[in-house]
Amino acid sequence: MSNGTLTRKLGFWSALAIAVGTTIGSGIFVSSGDVAKAAGTPSISILAWIIGGVIAIPQVMVLAELSTAYPQNGSGYVYLNKAGWRPLAFLYGWATFWALDPPSISIMALAIVSYLATFFPFFSGVAGKLLGIAIILLITSIHYRSVKEGGLFQVIITAIKIIPFLIVIVLGIMYMNPENFAYTPGPGAQKSSLIGGVSATTWAYTGMAAICFMAGEFKNPGKILPRALISSVFIVLALYTLLAVCVIGLMPFEELINSNAAVSEAVKYIPGLSDIASSFVAITAIIVILGSLSSCIMFQPRLEYAMAKDGLFFQRFARVHPKYETPSFSIIVQVTYACILVCFSNLTVLLGYFTLIQLVINIMDFAAVYKCRKRDDYNPIYRMPMWRLTTVLAILGASWLAWGTFTWAPIQGVIAALIVIVTGLPVYYYWERKYGSKKNNDSDIVA
């Protein structure tokens, strides 16, 4: 029976599955074409995927150190709080709950439905939205009842989602056309750009930090978290790079740079799969997105749980189910909110403008290591090499992504930031006066 806290039940494979499963999502199906178009040539396109993965390495190293110094649920909220930036830590959780996490669940559910509709056209309109809600509730039932069963499901679905990519990679190597790599841009073609290509890969590499939200539920976090974080980067980097090589090798580059569904069109060039390319990719997409959806439903409620334990969120979010030992109330509220958003798909697109807020706070997460290293309680089991240089590289990589997002929608991003501040700060000061700053931040961890 639970004593009102979350306990450490998850192992390395669950951590790795959450990190990899969250990172590899639906974007990979279109990003190959975007990267190729931005890069301009096959060689620069492949190099962009490699560099994009390398940029993520210092970021996960910083997170590995912070998560082993403070192995508790909450991720960035915890690190910002420990750094002495408590209002910013609250705004991070406030924006994440209202504008980022539940919307991401609803968007993924609707994406799954859109692929299912290619096989069952009936699932459109109201029927499709009801199916999206049913999918969310089904996955939620797994993670609500047991963190161990949820971890096992995540391991299984992540393993399954990688298999189709491996099939494409193996067959792609067998049937690729080496002449495709000799493509030379014509006189009127867009100039090649390594920076543009790398920028186009950055979103594909986000997601490994998901396990930091559940740091308080991993056994032996000092060993598991660094291994899972760093391993996930190399796994995803290898998978994306090999997939990019195969896609370029299978289809003419001039077609690739104009493609909105690069993987699907590349599969058409594989003998034996050409006739079922659309169905193969649709099934793959359903499995891939399902894995990401499962991961998000699993880790996202832990942030509000941690905030509530610290007196900076609705107190009921700190409730732990007495039998299942999961943050039951936080899970229920988040998926309920997500199900409501399923009925307002246009709203979920609008809420995407709040992503800039999260990216800016991610930069502050990395910067927090400078403040945290001065604390007496800072004793990480894992310490990143050349920590100052590694931290600077992590901040620069995150800043690059934030700048790219800002240029995409600058006015909307600024408005979103103002909304978060105007709505969040009054609530923060109310809760701070009501509950005060709880000193025992680690009370929610059971070794």
Side-chain angles (χ1 to χ4, degrees):
M1 300 293 287
S2 171
N3 62 354
T5 59
L6 301 179
T7 55
R8 300 189 185 277
K9 296 182 177 181
L10 299 174
F12 170 76
W13 293 111
S14 295
L16 186 63
I18 294 170
V20 174
T22 306
T23 306
I24 302 176
S26 59
I28 188 60
F29 294 97
V30 296
S31 57
S32 294
D34 294 336
V35 174
K37 183 176 182 179
T41 67
S43 58
I44 293 180
S45 179
I46 295 170
L47 184 60
W49 281 107
I50 297 173
I51 294 176
V54 171
I55 287 175
I57 294 175
Q59 297 179 2
V60 298
M61 284 183 173
V62 175
L63 292 173
E65 178 169 315
L66 288 168
S67 63
T68 60
Y70 305 115
Q72 57 194 80
N73 289 343
S75 187
Y77 166 78
V78 174
Y79 315 143
L80 293 170
N81 206 357
K82 293 289 188 179
W85 301 325
R86 191 169 171 81
L88 186 61
F90 170 78
L91 291 177
Y92 169 58
W94 182 254
T96 297
F97 175 75
W98 291 110
L100 297 170
D101 285 355
S104 69
I105 292 174
S106 64
I107 290 170
M108 283 186 280
L110 290 170
I112 293 173
V113 171
S114 68
Y115 282 105
L116 283 171
T118 61
F119 301 103
F120 309 102
F122 172 77
F123 291 119
S124 60
V126 176
K129 293 183 182 297
L130 292 176
L131 178 60
I133 292 172
I135 292 170
I136 292 174
L137 296 178
L138 178 63
I139 301 300
T140 299
S141 66
I142 298 173
H143 295 296
Y144 180 89
R145 292 177 59 86
S146 171
V147 69
K148 287 187 68 176
E149 290 180 7
L152 177 60
F153 176 78
Q154 193 62 41
V155 171
I156 294 172
I157 194 67
T158 300
I160 293 174
K161 73 189 287 184
I162 290 177
I163 292 174
F165 290 121
L166 295 179
I167 292 174
V168 173
I169 290 170
V170 172
L171 294 179
I173 292 174
M174 292 174 58
Y175 294 105
M176 69 171 54
N177 181 0
E179 294 181 2
N180 290 345
F181 295 95
Y183 168 83
T184 302
Q190 178 179 317
K191 293 183 178 180
S192 59
S193 171
L194 178 60
I195 294 177
V198 174
S199 297
T201 71
T202 48
W203 274 117
Y205 282 105
T206 58
M208 290 92 167
I211 58 175
C212 296
F213 286 86
M214 302 184 66
E217 293 170 81
F218 290 106
K219 295 177 288 186
N220 197 357
K223 290 185 177 180
I224 285 178
L225 293 174
R227 286 174 55 201
L229 283 165
I230 296 172
S231 297
S232 64
V233 175
F234 286 103
I235 290 172
V236 175
L237 190 159
L239 188 67
Y240 284 171
T241 303
L242 289 172
L243 191 63
V245 170
C246 291
V247 169
I248 293 171
L250 286 170
M251 62 188 298
F253 197 77
E254 57 268 21
E255 293 183 19
L256 175 58
I257 59 179
N258 295 310
S259 174
N260 293 319
V263 176
S264 178
E265 293 179 13
V267 170
K268 294 178 181 179
Y269 286 86
I270 299 177
L273 290 181
S274 57
D275 295 334
I276 60 169
S278 298
S279 298
F280 176 83
V281 173
I283 293 173
T284 300
I286 291 170
I287 297 171
V288 167
I289 302 171
L290 191 63
S292 298
L293 175 64
S294 170
S295 177
C296 290
I297 291 175
M298 184 178 190
F299 80 81
Q300 286 175 351
R302 270 64 181 182
L303 172 58
E304 286 69 34
Y305 164 83
M307 294 177 66
K309 294 289 287 188
D310 198 29
L312 283 183
F313 211 68
F314 303 101
Q315 292 299 289
R316 294 188 69 180
F317 279 75
R319 180 175 299 175
V320 175
H321 196 283
K323 179 180 179 181
Y324 302 137
E325 297 185 319
T326 57
S328 52
F329 186 80
S330 186
I331 292 174
I332 289 173
V333 172
Q334 292 217 33
V335 299
T336 300
Y337 180 24
C339 288
I340 293 173
L341 290 179
V342 166
C343 301
F344 301 95
S345 56
N346 290 334
L347 180 61
T348 60
V349 175
L350 177 62
L351 292 175
Y353 294 128
F354 287 82
T355 302
L356 179 62
I357 311 304
Q358 185 184 46
L359 293 173
V360 172
I361 296 180
N362 284 346
I363 297 171
M364 299 301 294
D365 275 349
F366 301 135
V369 75
Y370 288 100
K371 296 290 292 287
C372 290
R373 274 181 168 251
K374 298 177 181 178
R375 291 176 58 99
D376 293 335
D377 65 349
Y378 192 78
N379 297 299
I381 296 176
Y382 168 85
R383 287 185 179 269
M384 56 182 146
M386 298 181 293
W387 75 271
R388 288 186 176 84
L389 175 60
T390 302
T391 303
V392 169
L393 292 175
I395 292 173
L396 290 176
S399 300
W400 190 350
L401 182 56
W403 175 251
T405 304
F406 176 76
T407 56
W408 166 65
I411 297 177
Q412 296 92 329
V414 171
I415 292 174
L418 292 175
I419 291 174
V420 170
I421 294 171
V422 171
T423 62
L425 284 182
V427 179
Y428 164 74
Y429 289 114
Y430 166 76
W431 272 323
E432 193 74 336
R433 286 196 305 269
K434 184 174 182 179
Y435 298 106
S437 178
K438 295 188 177 182
K439 302 301 182 182
N440 55 336
N441 275 356
D442 300 331
S443 62
D444 59 316
I445 305 303
V446 175

